Amino acid sequence: MSEYYQLPGKEVMRKVNGSEEPLTAGQIREHQEKYGRNELAEGKKETILHIFLGQYKDFLVMILIAAAIVSGLLSDVESAVVILVVITVNAVLGTLQTVKAEQSLDSLKKLSAPEAKVLREGNLVQIPSAEVTVGDIVLLDAGDYIPADGRLLECASLKVDESALTGESLGVEKGTEPVTGEVPLGDRTNMVYSGCFATYGRGTFFVTAVGMETEVGKIAGLLNKTSEKQTPLQRNLDQFGKKLSILILAFCGILFGIQVIRGGDAGDAFLFAVALAVAAIPEALSSIVTIVLSFGTQKMAREHAIIRKLQAVEGLGSVSVICSDKTGTLTQNRMKVEDYYVNGIRIRGEEINLEDPQESMLLLSSILCNDASNADGTEIGDPTEIALINLGDRFGLHASDVREKYPRFGENPFDSDRKLMSTQHVMEDRPTMLVKGAVDVLLDRMTYIQTKDGVHPMTDGDREKIKNQNQEFSKEGLRVLGFAYKEIPPDHELMLEDEHHLTFIGMIAMVDPPREESAEAVKECRRAGIRPIMITGDHKVTATAIAKRIGILKDESEACEGAEMDSLSDQELRDFVEDISVYARVTPEHKIRIVRAWQEKGNIVSMTGDGVNDAPALKQADIGVAMGITGSEVSKDAASMVLTDDNFATIIKAVENGRNVYRNIKNSIRFLLSGNFGAILAVLYASVAALPVPFAPVHLLFINLLTDSLPAIALGLEPHTKDVMEEKPRPVDESILTKEFLQKIGIEGLCIAVTTMAAFYIGYRSGSALLASSMAFGTLCMARLVHGFNCKDDKPAAFSKKMWNNVYLLGAFALGLCLITAVLMIPALKGVFKVQTLTWTQLLTVYGLAVLNLPVIQLIKWAWGKKEEKEVTK
Ligand code: ATP
């Protein structure tokens, strides 16, 4: 049986669809049912039971269970049961957190799912790739993701990046002719494959396989195994956590030894040592980071920034330079034609006279040399081109009719390096090539000019006039396109070399006003210590006019053209970039050089991009940002963040979110480590002072369950504030666990330990070790809950409104307060929890000592802040 690539395209259609006609709506539904959704089967997902059982995999937890069972069998059944219950509740909580985090990451993935342009019932529609089915006809433009495997039916200079399948990174030129003989995948030039990208030109293909039946589906088993990478912060914390665990284990080992030497029961001592290890080892560190990051990304998605790589959330807090495109990101991209320049005069767009052959030719050229469509009010394509066909509509020249009358039979697609595009038609029996593009690029290629008096050789005077008019348009912030034509011999296959010796027709100027929020976002960006930079393919004068309006540039000397960089060495460029805020007429290669130059100066750079050639610059940037609406699928694939509203202000909002998420993670860690350190210090002190052990194993587990995870997660979900934007970007090499941070943790842990031991002494003085232990346990538990409020912010904020704005923290506090009070006050629970029921006075003493941590630590923070201020002013 012949393979699809060995057959003509039409025959493949007949074989698969039974006819050469596109599928009807009914057939599409049938095919979708028969072939399933166009998706790769997900790697085997862990079931909830698996995740739950995974919570017990921790080595220490297993030892603890074993120790509890042994002690239960030997003597203390009640305690063993409580320990097991507490561990189980902990596992349930851990499972819930993991499932929730996974769900939010999954829904994020769905948001960034690619789309495809397909012909359905004669109309071009954009649908999620998952809905493409066998028999569909898919249109490809440069930058599009190929949603399924298929046989090409039409091709216009189409090149495809098939590196995902073949490893070949150069674009493969495609055609429609059948291939003879059996050839490997890379040589099937008339086929396209799912997972690859169109990098140049255009094409149409007929879908032959979807989902797991595609070539990439067949190797998907391998792809599924690639696991999610940890973010740098998670790696950093994991390493820290491991070192800390070893220290804690060593400490618990020594403690066990001391207790046995002092004649304590070895079994009890062992259980205690293991429980202390479980309570003190912050096993939740890395998972808290995952939870907070995943919730942060949900918030960002709601605010139009979809995070594709989790690392980006951390990185956003360190961004110090944001390089942004102009068109559509800083401007509205709602383009509208303002003015025409034809026959040597400027006229309003709506005043075109179709009776005038030159004016009519300009309008027709703008519709024909154009890939956008607006049938049935659905606009598809580049906003610049949509503006042009919308103008045609106003004069009754609908794009579909005009294109039917003058069909295109050849083209040189637009590319942002060349800044031109040309198409081939027969107009009034004359084979014509129409060219449109940047005026300055076109000017060098024009030999003739068309005027009311016919076509003349272009003089220097004509050139000067066009240049001046272009300058005038640009100064008004208008975006200008030039149009030209050339008669070409029939049957000539269009080439790039043909774009010379052209005849000038005219220019069209469009408005694209800045977005209202851009100026404010630029201000905020500067406040946050971030340098905003505009990088655009547009004309320098247009770019400067817009940049001035939104405050990116003050003086014209801060603007340059990309070509000015060509003569600079990398070293020279590094000095050069400092003074430049606007780069015009850049090529994608310039973008990479600009990013690199800033990075070499020690900056973390965010760069936006939309075109197919922007992918390398997006990858080079620390935070590559793609445009969700106008961006090519290639750029989205290369980016770490996608803006669903293409808006510069959204990047600034994302930076704010990134900084807040980082701050919240830091606060959670501070809470976890200081509390755990407090507990260790208390035990250490008791041991050195030869006092009875201040906590029973069940106390430690209770504290671990109640005061570890819940408030820590609540702190991670702390409401975001604007004041993070007052700070400078965080140095990228700054570890979260700085010396200063650890010192603060140490001091706060000490405060908690002191109040805990004070409670212990008060109880001990009345002669009962059990009362001492109960009061110490109650105080440690409460002090940690209270300490949650201290960890909300680095600055003292006690008793201000902000102190009470985190409902999760209030909830965790209230729950903890009720439970610990119940344990200490309900006589029936005393046996189970190894406590002595307290009197009201004793309870109030416990409360008082615990709450003392609030003013004391706030005061320390205030003093710390003063010290830091002094150091800064020095
Ligand atoms: P930005 O880089 O800020 O998005 P841009 O859209 O102007 O701005 P490019 O898309 O690289 O950047 O376009 C560069 C230049 O090419 C434009 O200034 C314009 O003169 C010309 N141009 C843009 N779109 C087209 C098109 N569809 N056909 C022909 N020429 C175009």
Side-chain angles (χ1 to χ4, degrees):
M1 204 183 83
S2 298
E3 299 280 349
Y4 291 141
Y5 60 87
Q6 296 165 337
L7 301 172
K10 293 277 179 197
E11 203 176 319
V12 176
M13 283 182 78
R14 260 199 315 276
K15 260 187 130 168
V16 178
N17 278 4
S19 86
E20 290 177 15
E21 295 305 310
L23 298 179
T24 61
Q27 285 172 315
I28 287 168
R29 267 195 303 278
E30 265 174 40
H31 278 205
Q32 280 173 334
E33 259 166 47
K34 181 170 163 196
Y35 298 102
R37 280 174 75 77
N38 180 30
E39 283 169 334
L40 297 183
E42 293 261 327
K44 268 218 167 123
K45 279 219 142 174
E46 269 196 306
T47 59
I48 294 192
L49 182 67
H50 251 104
I51 298 173
F52 177 72
L53 293 177
Q55 309 289 322
Y56 291 98
K57 270 196 200 138
D58 189 281
F59 179 63
L60 276 176
V61 173
M62 286 200 267
I63 294 190
L64 188 64
I65 293 173
I69 292 174
V70 171
S71 104
L73 289 180
L74 293 180
S75 57
D76 196 354
V77 183
E78 239 176 17
S79 220
V81 169
V82 175
I83 287 175
L84 292 179
V85 168
V86 170
I87 290 176
T88 308
V89 175
N90 222 346
V92 169
L93 265 181
T95 309
L96 285 179
Q97 289 156 11
T98 314
V99 170
K100 198 92 187 103
E102 268 182 11
Q103 277 172 351
S104 74
L105 291 179
D106 270 355
S107 63
L108 210 60
K109 266 193 207 142
K110 283 202 185 103
L111 282 177
S112 54
E115 300 214 307
K117 291 181 282 244
V118 297
L119 264 183
R120 293 257 171 104
E121 310 260 272
N123 288 329
L124 184 60
V125 287
Q126 203 144 346
I127 57 168
S129 289
E131 288 170 21
V132 170
T133 189
V134 172
D136 257 326
I137 292 181
V138 179
L139 269 75
L140 290 178
D141 281 308
D144 282 353
Y145 169 80
I146 297 171
D149 288 3
R151 171 70 166 85
L152 281 160
L153 300 176
E154 260 181 87
C155 249
S157 321
L158 182 68
K159 282 191 193 164
V160 174
D161 175 347
E162 294 187 338
S163 53
L165 278 181
T166 60
E168 170 60 59
S169 59
L170 282 181
V172 183
E173 274 185 45
K174 292 288 177 180
T176 53
E177 290 304 308
V179 177
T180 42
E182 258 190 41
V183 295
L185 214 78
D187 294 335
R188 298 176 192 169
T189 48
N190 56 23
M191 297 288 290
V192 285
Y193 294 103
S194 175
C196 302
F197 290 101
T199 54
Y200 190 77
R202 278 185 328 109
T204 309
F205 75 93
F206 173 79
V207 176
T208 53
V210 294
M212 293 305 282
E213 292 307 311
T214 59
E215 294 298 329
V216 70
K218 290 178 194 158
I219 56 166
L222 303 174
L223 299 178
N224 283 338
K225 290 207 180 80
T226 54
S227 56
E228 280 279 326
K229 273 205 282 182
Q230 280 191 316
T231 73
L233 182 58
Q234 280 172 322
R235 267 200 306 277
N236 192 332
L237 287 177
D238 254 6
Q239 281 162 7
F240 173 78
K242 281 198 183 109
K243 282 186 209 148
L244 195 66
S245 307
I246 294 172
L247 261 178
I248 292 172
L249 282 177
F251 173 72
C252 293
I254 294 169
L255 207 71
F256 169 70
I258 293 176
Q259 273 179 304
V260 174
I261 290 166
R262 281 191 185 148
D265 178 274
D268 285 352
F270 184 68
L271 199 59
F272 176 77
V274 179
L276 182 63
V278 169
I281 290 174
E283 68 287 331
L285 270 188
S286 159
S287 71
I288 282 192
V289 176
T290 313
I291 293 163
V292 178
L293 283 180
S294 67
F295 279 92
T297 54
Q298 285 289 306
K299 181 169 187 306
M300 288 181 175
R302 283 195 299 276
E303 290 168 2
H304 309 293
I306 294 172
I307 297 293
R308 296 191 70 250
K309 299 177 185 145
L310 267 191
Q311 284 95 320
V313 184
E314 281 163 50
L316 276 167
S318 301
V319 165
S320 51
V321 176
I322 299 181
C323 302
S324 170
D325 278 339
K326 169 180 75 71
T327 314
T329 315
L330 288 161
T331 65
Q332 296 181 5
N333 222 6
R334 246 186 265 129
M335 274 184 240
K336 192 171 145 264
V337 172
E338 280 278 290
D339 286 301
Y340 263 46
Y341 177 81
V342 59
N343 290 323
I345 51 165
R346 175 178 184 169
I347 50 173
R348 302 283 306 155
E350 57 265 29
E351 286 166 8
I352 301 171
N353 174 11
L354 288 183
E355 302 295 313
D356 180 290
Q358 287 76 36
E359 292 182 31
S360 151
M361 171 85 171
L362 185 52
L363 185 62
L364 282 180
S365 307
S366 72
I367 298 170
L368 290 172
C369 187
N370 187 319
D371 289 328
S373 69
N374 62 357
D376 300 331
T378 328
E379 297 177 338
I380 298 184
D382 174 4
T384 311
E385 299 197 333
I386 292 173
L388 297 174
I389 55 173
N390 282 348
L391 185 73
D393 279 348
R394 289 177 59 181
F395 291 93
L397 290 177
H398 303 299
S400 47
D401 305 339
V402 177
R403 289 173 188 167
E404 205 176 312
K405 189 167 170 200
Y406 308 109
R408 181 190 292 191
F409 55 93
E411 66 192 272
N412 284 327
F414 171 72
D415 101 58
S416 50
D417 265 326
R418 203 168 95 257
K419 302 187 177 16
L420 293 179
M421 134 172 208
S422 44
T423 55
Q424 203 175 6
H425 311 263
V426 177
M427 296 178 80
E428 317 309 339
D429 298 331
R430 287 190 341 223
T432 309
M433 173 178 75
L434 298 171
V435 187
K436 89 167 186 305
V439 179
D440 32 344
V441 178
L442 267 182
L443 263 182
D444 297 335
R445 299 163 180 245
M446 286 190 290
T447 317
Y448 307 99
I449 179 165
Q450 172 182 284
T451 66
K452 271 201 180 327
D453 311 321
V455 174
H456 305 289
M458 188 176 262
T459 61
D460 286 347
D462 293 328
R463 254 179 238 283
E464 204 51 33
K465 223 173 141 195
I466 296 170
K467 247 191 206 163
N468 288 343
Q469 185 57 55
N470 185 26
Q471 195 84 356
E472 193 181 309
F473 280 142
S474 305
K475 272 197 186 137
E476 293 169 28
L478 298 176
R479 180 174 170 81
V480 196
L481 283 181
F483 290 81
Y485 77 93
K486 177 174 166 179
E487 283 194 27
I488 47 162
D491 303 333
H492 172 79
E493 196 176 322
L494 215 56
M495 289 181 300
L496 293 183
E497 290 71 40
D498 294 319
E499 291 169 340
H500 289 278
H501 307 298
L502 308 171
T503 305
F504 179 75
I505 312 173
M507 295 187 276
I508 300 183
M510 285 164 258
V511 272
D512 182 19
R515 290 174 180 270
E516 274 171 25
E517 56 276 40
S518 289
E520 189 43 50
V522 165
K523 255 196 221 152
E524 179 150 11
C525 184
R526 288 197 199 283
R527 252 205 313 275
I530 303 170
R531 171 89 180 261
I533 287 172
M534 177 195 278
I535 302 188
T536 174
D538 213 341
H539 195 276
K540 183 169 149 187
V541 180
T542 311
T544 308
I546 302 277
K548 245 188 200 162
R549 266 190 244 171
I550 53 184
I552 285 194
L553 158 148
K554 283 200 186 75
D555 191 88
E556 263 135 59
S557 63
E558 292 168 49
C560 80
E561 284 203 353
E564 288 176 43
M565 292 162 41
D566 293 342
S567 57
L568 300 180
S569 68
D570 287 348
Q571 170 60 43
E572 285 166 333
L573 187 67
R574 255 174 267 159
D575 301 329
F576 181 74
V577 289
E578 195 74 55
D579 302 322
I580 301 296
S581 298
V582 173
Y583 298 83
R585 286 285 184 248
V586 288
T587 61
E589 287 71 39
H590 290 138
K591 285 188 164 185
I592 301 183
R593 287 196 73 200
I594 299 167
V595 174
R596 249 196 233 133
W598 276 109
Q599 284 174 330
E600 281 161 11
K601 289 167 82 73
N603 289 282
I604 296 296
V605 185
S606 167
M607 159 77 81
T608 71
D610 47 11
V612 50
N613 301 341
D614 285 339
L618 292 180
K619 282 192 184 143
Q620 172 72 36
D622 302 280
I623 311 279
V625 182
M627 301 299 129
I629 305 171
T630 54
S632 59
E633 294 294 339
V634 178
S635 60
K636 289 182 203 167
D637 191 64
S640 18
M641 182 164 93
V642 177
L643 308 179
T644 54
D645 61 355
D646 291 10
N647 192 344
F648 176 77
T650 304
I651 308 178
I652 308 299
K653 193 95 204 96
V655 168
E656 188 187 311
N657 278 320
R659 288 188 179 189
N660 270 302
V661 164
Y662 192 85
R663 185 202 58 184
N664 288 355
I665 289 177
K666 201 169 166 181
N667 290 343
S668 290
I669 294 173
R670 181 177 185 164
F671 170 81
L672 273 180
L673 295 187
S674 50
N676 287 3
F677 186 59
I680 296 246
L681 275 183
V683 173
L684 179 69
Y685 176 79
S687 167
V688 171
L691 294 168
V693 184
F695 312 112
V698 59
H699 296 166
L700 293 169
L701 295 177
F702 186 87
I703 289 169
N704 192 37
L705 170 70
L706 199 70
T707 59
D708 248 28
S709 321
L710 289 183
I713 293 171
L715 279 169
L717 304 180
E718 179 81 5
H720 289 189
T721 58
K722 275 236 161 269
D723 53 11
V724 286
M725 294 302 266
E726 306 288 332
E727 295 156 19
K728 293 268 159 288
R730 170 173 48 84
V732 67
D733 47 2
E734 183 190 287
S735 151
I736 210 165
L737 304 155
T738 55
K739 195 171 131 219
E740 194 188 63
F741 185 65
L742 293 176
Q743 272 172 0
K744 286 180 185 174
I745 287 174
I747 292 180
E748 288 166 14
L750 185 67
C751 292
I752 293 174
V754 168
T755 45
T756 302
M757 287 319 286
F760 182 89
Y761 268 117
I762 292 172
Y764 199 51
R765 265 216 331 243
S766 58
S768 152
L770 183 61
L771 178 63
S773 150
S774 310
M775 287 182 73
F777 161 54
T779 308
L780 179 61
C781 211
M782 278 294 295
R784 294 197 61 169
L785 289 172
V786 168
H787 187 48
F789 293 92
N790 282 325
C791 292
K792 278 168 70 81
D793 202 341
D794 221 14
K795 297 183 203 85
F799 314 114
S800 74
K801 247 211 232 135
K802 218 173 102 191
M803 205 68 177
W804 318 113
N805 65 355
N806 183 347
V807 280
Y808 304 107
L809 190 64
L810 290 174
F813 178 80
L815 179 71
L817 179 70
C818 292
L819 290 180
I820 187 66
T821 310
V823 166
L824 295 176
M825 298 300 282
I826 299 176
L829 295 179
K830 70 176 183 205
V832 178
F833 285 99
K834 302 268 176 281
V835 289
Q836 175 177 326
T837 307
L838 301 188
T839 62
W840 281 104
T841 326
Q842 286 160 345
L843 182 73
L844 287 179
T845 312
V846 164
Y847 280 177
L849 280 168
V851 170
L852 206 55
N853 281 290
L854 196 61
V856 170
I857 293 178
Q858 292 287 322
L859 206 68
I860 293 173
K861 274 192 194 183
W862 176 81
W864 207 290
K866 284 274 163 231
K867 191 176 140 236
E868 275 170 348
E869 260 173 44
K870 253 196 209 149
E871 271 162 20
V872 172
T873 47
K874 255 191 219 164

